[in-house]
Amino acid sequence: MNIIVCVKRIPKTAEADILIEKDGKDIKRDHLVFALNDWDGYAVREAVLLKEKFEGEVTVITIGPEESKEVLTRCLAMGADRAVRIEGPSSSDGHLIARILAQAIKGQSFDLILTGVQAEDDGWGQVGVALAQILGLPHASIVTHIEIERDKAKVRRELEGGIEELLEVKLPAVLTIQTGINEPKYVSLSAILDAEDKETKEVGMEEIGFSSKGPLDATIDQVSFPPTGKMAEILKGSPEEVVGQLTEIIKKKKG
Amino acid sequence: MKIDPKTFVHDYQLNICIQCGTCTGGCPVKFRSPLNMRRLVRETYLTDNFSSLSKRAELWACTTCSTCSLRCPSGVKNVELIMGIRNFLANKGEIPSTIRDALENTLLQGNPWGRFRDRRADWAKDLGVKIFGEETSETLLYVGCAPSYDPRVQSVSTALVRIFQKAGVDFAILGKKESCCGNEIRRMGEQALFKKLAKDNTALFKKSGVKRIITLSPHCFNAFKNEYPDLNIPVQHYTQVLADLIGGGKLHLSKGLGISATYHDPCFLGKQNKVFDEPRKILASLPGCDFIEMERSRERSLCCEGGGGRMWAEGGTEGKRNGEIRIREAVALGAKTLATACPFCLLTFEDSVKTSGLAEQIVIKDIAELVVETMG
Amino acid sequence: MNEIFILVEHRQGQIRDLTYEMLGLGENLANQQGISFTAILLGHDVKNFAEDLATRVPKVLVVEDENLKNFNSILYQKALSSLISKHQPCLLLMGHSAFGMDLAPSLSVEMDFPLATDCIGLLFEGGRLKATRSIYGGKVNANISLRESKEYIATIRPGIFSPKMPGEKKGGIVMEASPLQGAVDLKKFIEYIEAPITGEDITQAEILISVGQGIGGPEHIPLFEELAKNLGGTISCSRPVVDRNWLPKERQVGISGKTVKPKIYIAVGISGAFQHVTAMRGSDTIIAINKDPRAPIFGVADYGIVDDFQNVIPVLKEKIKG
Amino acid sequence: MKQIGVYICHCGTNIAATVDCEELVRFSSTLPGVKIARDYRYLCSDPGQDLITKDIRNLSLDRVVIAACSPRMHEATFRNLLSDAGINPYLLNIANIREQCSWVHQDRQKATEKARHILRAAVARVLGHEALKTRKFGIQPSTMVVGAGIAGIQAALNIASGGMKVTLIEKAPFIGGHMAQLDKTFPTLDCSSCIFTPKTVEVTRSRQIELLVSSEVTEVTGFVGNFKAKIRKNPTYVDFARCTGCGDCVEACVLKKGVPSEFEEGMSRRRAIYIPFPQAVPLKAVIDRESCLLLSKGKCKKTCVEACKAGAIDFDQKEEVIEKEVGSIIIATGYDPFDPHLLPQYGYGVYDNIITGLQFERLSSPSGPNRGEILLKDGTVPRAIAFLHCIGSRDENANLHCSRICCMASMKQAHLAKEKTGAEIYEFYIDINAFGKGYQEFYKRVREEGIFFIRGKGSEIFKRGGRLVVAAEDTLLGTPLEIPVDMVVLGTGLTARRDADKVAQTFGISRSADGFFMEAHPKLRPVATQVDGVFLAGCCQSPKDIPDTVAQASAAAAEVMSLLAKGEIEVEPTVATIDPELCAGCKLCIEICPHSAIEFLEAKGISSVNEALCKGCGACTAICPNKAARQNHFTHTQVLAEVEELVG
């Protein structure tokens, strides 16, 4: 079973101080650390698990500048066999990304394409499904479980309200992977150092035959901090005092 | 890099174990987990199924306090064995998720909690502390992760800065450029990451022109002193520096505390690095501080369970925590303050004070905090 | 400019709340542009839905087909593209939900419409659609412009917009012929799977103690269970806690978990991602305990404690007991 | 024309398995001067020796090379053979093809090649050998025994009973050593003082024994048969000739609080003037400089002087140096018990009622501070007692060696404790070392008495709820334990004396890795040292129990007597000489000689070797810039001929 996984390098912002660039069109990135998109990590791990079960090869692809190589190295350390970096913009335009990926993937032999449900940074959540449409493949998004039965995949998708749906998708297909689908494995630094020796294929847009560069579907006009709404009343004092107030509140509200 | 468990027998001297049980007998988690160090040595020596042995949850119960290794009559490297097995697991990627997070965070953000790198020196913002790169000094105050980020421990960092400033100690910190020392990283099994941190930190210290290092945490102290291969810069724990300052009359301690205090020896300061006297000297010199010695002190101190990655490990133990036992011992002694000199001890005791419901009866303080209180 | 389409989202015999929210948004946009808005109802045996919707919209377009009984992106896409081609709406709204996310990107590629996903604000400006999206984990809002187009698709974040309530006027119900020719092979719906509730049902609880990743590790769970017991409440959690197997899925509060409305909701070590907040903001009283004073959870909570839970919970546990 | 016989020993398969002996025979035959070459299974056997003797006679050989084991093994054997066969024994050369070849190699071809080199060198060297004559010296028929514990006393008594003079020197003011401190002895439970006192008394009665207490040997020169020793006699400030041992002075001493008694292992206190214990030999009072107020601070009312009716106290007593000439020396300086302060985990010195084995002996002794009652510090009877084995023994952090006696001592003490207190008794052990006669039987008996044996080493001791807690693991169950007890007895091991290094230097002997004095050969010469005429007895050589100590002491005495009985000794002729023609009088040799055997003849302006003192170490020949110093049997020509062939 040959699997292609599309991944993205993203800035980690959960713990970071966010500053906005002068032009107001993006956040400042210089001081941020970058990593493999969390959802993509689950996708790569899932691909490797499937490979271990059914044999085959896992190829990871990313679009981005030189620095993106580090996430490919990580994927190789996770057990991917081949890595391809397409020199290009780390654009947020999902349609553009999907078209470039489709061009790169076209003509390759694969049984499955996995992507993360969405990226941690801009959260569009569209590349996987769009890619399927361009390649003319069936897809399933927000997948939490995969079972392969010959030329079909039985997959579970996560719906709202704690419910899942079970689907049958014909292979080859594109699945977008939800977090929690598997137990991530620690990627040791020595595995990463070993993976650095493995080759990453680097290709330009022209090499994959991608040229059409029409207007972007979406452009950012301005980013801003969300307005702060009402804030909670913060209880102050020593833990004992705080708990004292809290107990009163609980008593009152419990009715 | 592959780890071959077959080399463990040789690397950790498992074949010379005489199965006397000294290790297990003195283990601080012997009643709290199924970890039996003696049996582990024997089983590792004999096993033909190492991978199943390595999956036991109790391997993460070890606090790496090193009581076993220090007392072993045969020189078996028990703690190194634990770290070796953890290293084996880390390289296979099969480590508990909380440990995984801590290691990944360290690689990414330079601290196991995954707190933002740039915010590392926020605690020092308004203290007028010199930062290498902007200003220079021969003395590095290496702050460490917990003292940089944890609000409870930040108060120790702040206290120490105030003391040094008052005593006229010229020093600087690394600010955002400071990274985890790797002591706990090595103990969680990530030897390669430890090596990288050691290499990068050493290079940074040298580039910054550091001639002397003072650490807040005994864990950093241990790493720099014993485990950094090419450092060659003298390292002191802050208690050693404070004892000198007080001894040399550089600090005017005037305000009476009016407390009775006892002291808990951190394993990485006491047992492992034999710094027993300086903290006691400091406590004895504080005005209005009645120092009481604990029954289990110095080499017989009971590990608080904060080391060896236990700050990040989940479970593996049950029953009453050593932290609680320690607090109860201190209360029974009549101490109103339990002093220590390690961020992990401080945090575990702060927890235990609450879980044991003894918050009314005893407070946990770092020695630096007590010193600052007497400065008036 | 033509009308605005709103794709009705329904599942297991119920219209989902998000549909009404989209109708509210659709009406506003339509009013601004002086155009009409239409609910698109795809399904099987959905007459009652159509009746309901007709009390809220001027027009309901219905495609009845037994193959549309359950959501299937391929079939929905076929039905929709045929309707769009016929009616050429200026904008199609769908939920940023498991259905919308499975459908909008492929439809937009097929039709070559610009797509804006997960929108928390939408408006037309000079014929161009502009959207507001929440990015970087909710830390920043981005105002974006979509390229010029006659037709757009946007998916809408749940819980943002006010729902459209039934009105006096009754809209028309228009039945459209189904363009589908039977089921498809490529993708088949099989069944819904609902994790059986093995413990207490968190949706029924009056008091919920909800824990997040911030509690550090599963070894602290018993502490919260004890607290819950002392309080007469139930323990619940956020998504990362489930992803890490610290608690079972049935305890998860969030869009992908349960929506809860207890009398008292105590969130501990939960930062407050919108997926979580959306599912608990209906609680009567929300109390948040978090080390980080900047955690978004304090934006929805009524009362907050900025401290390590370990300083508070054990004391609270004892106090409640006594 | 020189006629060499070369003999290759197979040493069974020790050599033959790795080295091709037949090839060596063939090879040897081609070497210059070789008349005959043969191989044989065991050359050291009678038929082997006969073979060589016959060849010497029949073929008129005048030199012999034996290719076999190390010369340390059999050089003497074959020298005797040469002597008996009528040629000078120094015309022999041993080629070591066992320790330096067959035992350390595996590749037969390469080993044989190496053996060829060794053999070729040996033959080249023997060509230059010269006939040498051994020297003979007279012997002083007297012995100095250093240390008057059971070992020294036993040796002294044996020699004295043989009619020879003994000077018995003891550092302490009394004799008896550690055995005098013991209560009962294992496994027979004899009362130690009952069996020992007769011996100590006999020492004072013997006319052959001169006893010097409070004395130390400070310098030894000379050589076997003719040692000169300087002995420092420290002042006791009491004239032993006058002192009656009445004890009035002790009562009078103003130092009422006293200092810890050495003999009682600190379990009770003594005054500044004191009689170590009631059965002390000699039974004299002594004054301890350190604690005496007059001697340490210069201020005292001298109440002791007033109290002494015999007028024995003499504060003017000075240190004395006594010189002795003796033919042989026995060192019996004993051991120090391991100091458990060094292993802080056992809380020794932190808590009351944690005591060492020796302290227990005093506690249990009827003449001890409690008159034999085993009581806690507060005077109550312990309900539970733990005995911890291997404290300071078999431990990388203390001493690696097994102290041998502690298992038995500990079990004996456990027996006594059980008998006297009825307490619950726990023995924490790693292995039980019951190696001696009747020891295993004693072990069984103690087990039968209901003592709990826990197989696990005590890990630490702390206090909880007012009681001592021993933490350990029951390794047979795999269960960690914390057992509360009232008293802990640490089975402290035996270590070399703190001053062992100084003593070793004084006598020119060496120490093994464990710090104890080194015997000449661990199996075959366990009593002798590398210094001829200096012997070892008792625990100064290694830990041992009383029977072994007594046996070794008797053996040392026997060695001494067989040495002294000869009346004269032969000394190897491999000494250095200095060619007066070549000597430039630079004195470098005098500086370097470790035995002070070279003197400078002022009149002639040259150096000269005193052959009686020269040990043949070769230092002078190496340093002499003029090659004036020359050592018999190791001449430049001999050594260079050998080296040339080895490297060639």
Side-chain angles (χ1 to χ4, degrees), chain D residues 180-198:
Chain D
Q181 294 175 287
L182 305 183
D183 176 20
K184 293 194 172 167
T185 56
F186 61 79
T188 49
L189 300 177
D190 295 300
C191 156
S192 183
S193 52
C194 303
I195 58 174
F196 194 33
T197 313

Side-chain angles (χ1 to χ4, degrees), chain A residues 121 139 141 157 161 164 221-222, chain C residues 98 102 136 143 145 187 193 257:
Chain A
D121 51 1
H139 70 264
S141 59
R157 295 185 62 233
E164 294 180 319
D221 299 330
Q222 192 194 16
Chain C
D102 209 43
Y136 294 116
N143 295 329
S145 293
K187 189 172 183 176
I193 301 169

